């Protein structure tokens, strides 16, 4: 699947940070127009330093919570500090003689939330006689290396990297195999979605002696440097809306200038604030930029969670939510006020489907169980995913990818400079054919499909494309309204896992 928000520069709430708009005069006004969602796999945008309260175990999910003391720095010897990493275990279906361990590589948020939203693992546990382990990523949830000081400055954040997180996972698995009777010879399969899917793939690449295979769902491991076109992400978002309703994407495309015209006066700012039922009225052009970012991020999030049944992954939503939204977006030639009122009706489905919201908050786009600060820092160091728009092949305002501006904004916020090519250097970019036993699953409706592996690389580096799938639909629990394509994908995934387990047991 962070803060620097707006909708005309680089992008991202499903991942986060934006490049500085070149004409914006001050840091406060520097939020570019593209949504956070395109620049980070971050799936949320509630800026809060305190971790969200851990949700209670969902009905039917039974697990135990544990903590393991981990090194803050696995790769140096000068800092001998430790922290407690949280992990969850469910072993009711595990057979210690021949059962597997399914290991969820936690991503940017509270691990109990990912546990709740990864129903696939719970659905297949009995069939695979598997123990389920959900490992929390350092600096998220309760796994804070420096407690309340973890996000205080770049010195304390220096150990927030994918490499350190993977090392945590490897140490945890070795600990479990040593301490759980019967687990020593259990094959381990890494599973993750979004950033967690990237970690699952990278885990298999870097620690093939620890995990026998990986399922990397909606994992855009190629959304780095120049490995893929920076414009493809928003083209997919646009096509989702184009396919879901006549004139839908055209109406959204026309809304940007309508908003500009209406907000050119103080009276217009007040009118739009009332039309959108905003909790905080617009008072400046900076606020207008933030409004557009919020809208753009909303369209991105809808594309990511365009599931065939009602869900509450990011927000409570109806089945096929884009189709519901597009019912209000049918007339791009309407007057500015009517067009904006229709845009409000559309976004109100996303933010107020329950009907309980008295006003709409432009600083909120998704669940608070995801860690916006941690991802903001990661996007400013190694998770640099170029995103751009043209305004021609997509429904958004045009914005080129500007790494220099992006870097300056990162330095301003965190005192660090991003390394554009580090991830391809570290994990191989597109030169990964020497690895094995990784399934890359991607939904064709998901914007992150753009940076995913969508063709088989070898007979053991497998791509599964789900035509009717949004963001890691295959990792969600079984549902009566699942399309045939995701049912087939899950069957294939389990078949590959069984093959890996059999091969492992045959070589013991």
């Amino acid at each position: 699947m962070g803060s620097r928000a707006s909708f005309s520069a680089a992008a991202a709430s499903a991942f986060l940070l934006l490049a500085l708009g070149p004409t914006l005069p001050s840091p406060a006004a520097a939020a570019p127009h593209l949504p956070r969602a395109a620049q980070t796999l971050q799936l949320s945008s509630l800026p809060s330093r305190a971790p969200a309260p851990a949700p209670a175990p969902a009905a039917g999910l039974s697990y135990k919570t544990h903590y393991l003391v981990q090194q803050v720095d696995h790769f140096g010897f000068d800092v001998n500090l430790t922290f407690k990493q949280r992990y969850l275990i469910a072993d009711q279906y595990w057979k210690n003689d021949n059962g597997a361990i399914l290991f969820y590589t936690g991503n940017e948020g509270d691990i109990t939330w990912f546990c709740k939203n990864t129903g696939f693992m719970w659905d297949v546990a009995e069939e695979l006689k598997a123990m389920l382990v959900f490992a929390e990523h350092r600096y998220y949830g309760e796994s804070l290396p420096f407690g309340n000081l973890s996000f205080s400055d770049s010195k304390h954040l220096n150990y927030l990297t994918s490499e350190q997180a993977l090392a945590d996972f490897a140490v945890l698995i070795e600990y479990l195999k040593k301490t759980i009777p019967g687990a020593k010879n259990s094959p381990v399969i890494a599973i993750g979605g979004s950033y967690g899917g990237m970690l699952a793939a990278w885990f298999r690449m870097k620690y093939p002696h620890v995990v026998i295979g990986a399922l990397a769902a909606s994992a855009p491991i190629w959304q780095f440097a120049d490995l893929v076109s920076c414009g493809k992400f928003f083209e997919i978002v646009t096509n989702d809306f184009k396919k879901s309703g006549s004139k839908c994407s055209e109406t959204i495309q026309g809304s940007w200038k309508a908003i500009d015209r209406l907000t050119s006066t103080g009276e217009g700012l007040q009118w739009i604030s009332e039309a959108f039922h905003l909790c905080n009225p617009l008072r400046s052009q900076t606020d207008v930029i933030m409004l557009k970012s919020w809208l753009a991020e909303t369209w991105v999030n809808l594309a990511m969670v365009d599931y065939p049944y009602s869900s509450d992954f990011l927000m409570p939503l109806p089945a096929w939510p884009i189709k519901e939204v597009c019912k209000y977006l049918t007339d791009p030639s309407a007057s500015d006020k009517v067009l904006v009122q229709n845009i409000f009706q559309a976004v109100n489905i996303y933010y107020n489907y329950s009907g309980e919201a008295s006003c709409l908050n432009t600083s909120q786009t998704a669940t608070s169980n995801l860690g916006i600060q941690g991802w903001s820092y990661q996007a400013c160091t190694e998770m640099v995913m170029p995103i751009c728009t043209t305004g021609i092949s997509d429904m958004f305002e045009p914005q080129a990818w500007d790494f220099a501006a992006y870097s300056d904004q990162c330095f301003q916020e965190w005192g660090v400079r991003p390394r554009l090519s580090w991830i391809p250097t570290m994990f191989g970019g597109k030169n990964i054919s020497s690895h094995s036993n990784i399934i890359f699953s991607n939904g064709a409706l998901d914007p992150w499909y753009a940076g995913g592996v969508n063709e088989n690389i070898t007979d053991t580096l497998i791509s599964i494309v789900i035509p009717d799938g949004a963001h890691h639909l295959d990792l969600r629990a079984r549902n009566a309204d699942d399309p045939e394509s995701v049912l087939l994908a899950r069957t294939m995934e389990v078949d590959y896992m069984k093959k890996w387990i059999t091969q492992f047991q045959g070589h013991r």
Side-chain angles (χ1 to χ4, degrees):
M1 268 146 129
S3 72
R4 273 176 266 356
S6 172
F7 139 43
S8 110
S13 156
F15 273 97
L16 119 100
L17 248 330
L18 301 169
L20 233 68
T23 61
L24 297 177
S26 69
H33 289 193
L34 283 186
R36 298 180 275 276
Q39 214 147 305
T40 73
L41 273 184
Q42 167 78 28
L43 297 179
S44 87
S45 58
L46 277 183
S48 169
R49 289 186 180 267
L61 302 187
S62 176
Y63 58 78
K64 293 181 180 179
T65 303
H66 302 271
Y67 298 85
L68 176 65
V69 175
Q70 291 275 15
Q71 292 291 134
V72 169
D73 184 8
H74 290 288
F75 306 111
F77 297 86
D78 185 53
V79 177
N80 192 29
L81 301 174
T82 61
F83 75 101
K84 290 183 178 180
Q85 179 188 21
R86 180 170 57 159
Y87 62 99
L88 317 176
I89 288 185
D91 60 2
Q92 50 268 50
Y93 295 116
W94 182 53
K95 304 297 182 184
N96 62 17
D97 53 344
N98 61 352
I101 297 174
L102 302 184
F103 186 92
Y104 185 87
T105 47
N107 31 325
E108 73 285 24
D110 188 304
I111 193 60
T112 59
W113 186 74
F114 291 114
C115 174
K116 173 187 174 184
N117 281 283
T118 312
F120 168 79
M121 289 175 61
W122 296 89
D123 289 342
V124 303
E126 184 172 12
E127 182 177 358
L128 296 177
K129 305 172 185 175
M131 176 193 301
L132 306 184
V133 179
F134 295 85
E136 191 160 68
H137 193 299
R138 56 169 56 204
Y139 286 87
Y140 296 102
E142 294 183 5
S143 302
L144 303 177
F146 300 101
N148 292 336
L149 294 177
S150 296
F151 303 102
S152 58
D153 54 38
S154 59
K155 180 179 179 180
H156 288 88
L157 280 161
N158 193 49
Y159 309 100
L160 173 52
T161 66
S162 58
E163 297 92 328
Q164 296 279 9
L166 293 176
D168 289 337
F169 297 156
V171 170
L172 173 56
I173 289 173
E174 290 185 347
Y175 169 79
L176 296 177
K177 288 200 164 196
K178 289 177 182 176
T179 59
I180 297 178
K184 180 180 179 180
N185 295 316
S186 289
V188 182
I189 296 173
I191 297 177
S194 202
Y195 170 49
M198 299 161 77
L199 292 171
W202 294 337
F203 197 20
R204 169 61 183 169
M205 293 178 191
K206 292 297 183 181
Y207 296 88
H209 58 292
V210 176
V211 291
I212 65 168
L215 168 56
S218 296
I221 64 166
W222 288 347
Q223 192 71 47
F224 293 92
D226 58 355
L227 297 179
V228 297
S229 166
C230 66
K232 188 65 177 175
F233 181 98
F234 279 99
E235 290 175 13
I236 294 174
V237 176
T238 301
N239 288 335
D240 288 348
F241 282 82
K242 193 180 291 288
K243 291 185 293 186
S244 296
S246 176
K247 304 296 183 181
C248 188
S249 63
E250 294 87 344
T251 302
I252 292 172
Q253 188 167 32
S255 69
W256 310 118
K257 289 192 180 302
I259 291 172
D260 285 343
R261 288 188 291 266
L262 287 170
T263 56
S264 61
T265 66
E267 180 183 349
L269 288 172
Q270 180 179 349
W271 184 87
I272 280 206
S273 299
E274 294 173 355
F276 275 101
H277 298 210
L278 298 181
C279 301
N280 299 303
L282 305 178
R283 303 190 187 280
S284 67
Q285 287 305 305
T286 299
D287 291 344
V288 175
I289 290 172
M290 297 301 291
L291 172 71
K292 289 164 122 184
S293 172
W294 174 73
L295 289 171
E297 189 172 326
T298 303
W299 308 138
V300 169
N301 285 350
L302 279 163
M304 289 174 59
V305 296
D306 196 22
Y307 297 135
Y309 46 78
S310 60
S311 68
D312 61 355
F313 182 52
L314 296 183
M315 289 285 193
L317 290 171
W320 298 117
I322 293 184
K323 287 184 180 179
E324 295 302 313
V325 160
C326 285
K327 290 178 182 178
Y328 295 99
L329 305 176
T330 60
D331 187 5
S333 63
S335 69
D336 288 350
K337 286 192 173 182
V338 170
L339 195 154
V340 167
Q341 286 170 333
N342 290 339
I343 292 288
F344 163 73
Q345 294 292 341
V347 299
N348 201 45
I349 288 179
Y350 182 79
Y351 291 104
N352 195 24
Y353 185 61
S354 65
E356 297 176 357
S358 59
C359 62
L360 300 188
N361 182 358
T362 57
S363 68
Q364 177 178 349
T365 57
T367 175
S368 60
N369 288 303
L370 290 149
I372 194 161
Q373 283 189 295
W375 188 260
S376 171
Y377 176 81
Q378 287 190 264
C380 272
T381 49
E382 54 180 11
M383 295 297 162
V384 185
M385 302 182 187
I387 302 287
C388 61
T389 55
T390 65
I392 298 171
S393 57
D394 56 66
M395 64 187 186
F396 299 89
E397 292 187 300
Q399 180 66 51
W401 164 248
D402 186 343
F403 177 69
Y406 182 99
S407 177
D408 287 345
Q409 189 168 350
C410 286
F411 188 77
Q412 182 182 57
E413 179 157 348
W414 293 111
V416 297
R417 296 282 183 184
R419 297 178 185 172
L420 181 62
S421 300
W422 175 243
I423 289 295
T425 298
M426 181 66 185
F427 297 110
K430 291 192 173 184
N431 298 315
I432 59 174
S433 59
S434 61
H435 302 294
S436 64
N437 291 5
I438 304 174
I439 302 165
F440 296 97
S441 64
N442 285 286
L445 303 180
D446 180 16
W448 293 110
Y449 175 92
V453 178
N454 298 313
E455 293 182 356
N456 290 355
I457 297 175
T458 67
D459 59 357
T460 62
L461 294 178
I462 305 299
S463 166
I464 298 177
V465 174
I466 306 167
D468 308 303
H471 202 49
H472 51 65
L473 175 63
D474 51 326
L475 291 192
R476 295 181 62 78
R478 295 186 189 115
N479 189 288
D481 293 319
D482 278 329
E484 193 67 30
S485 58
V486 78
L487 299 179
L488 177 60
R490 291 183 186 133
T491 298
M492 293 173 66
E493 290 162 0
V494 171
D495 285 347
Y496 277 112
M497 290 181 194
K498 288 179 177 178
K499 179 180 178 181
W500 299 339
I501 293 169
T502 300
Q503 290 174 339
F504 173 83
Q505 292 171 338
H507 291 140
R508 273 199 321 201

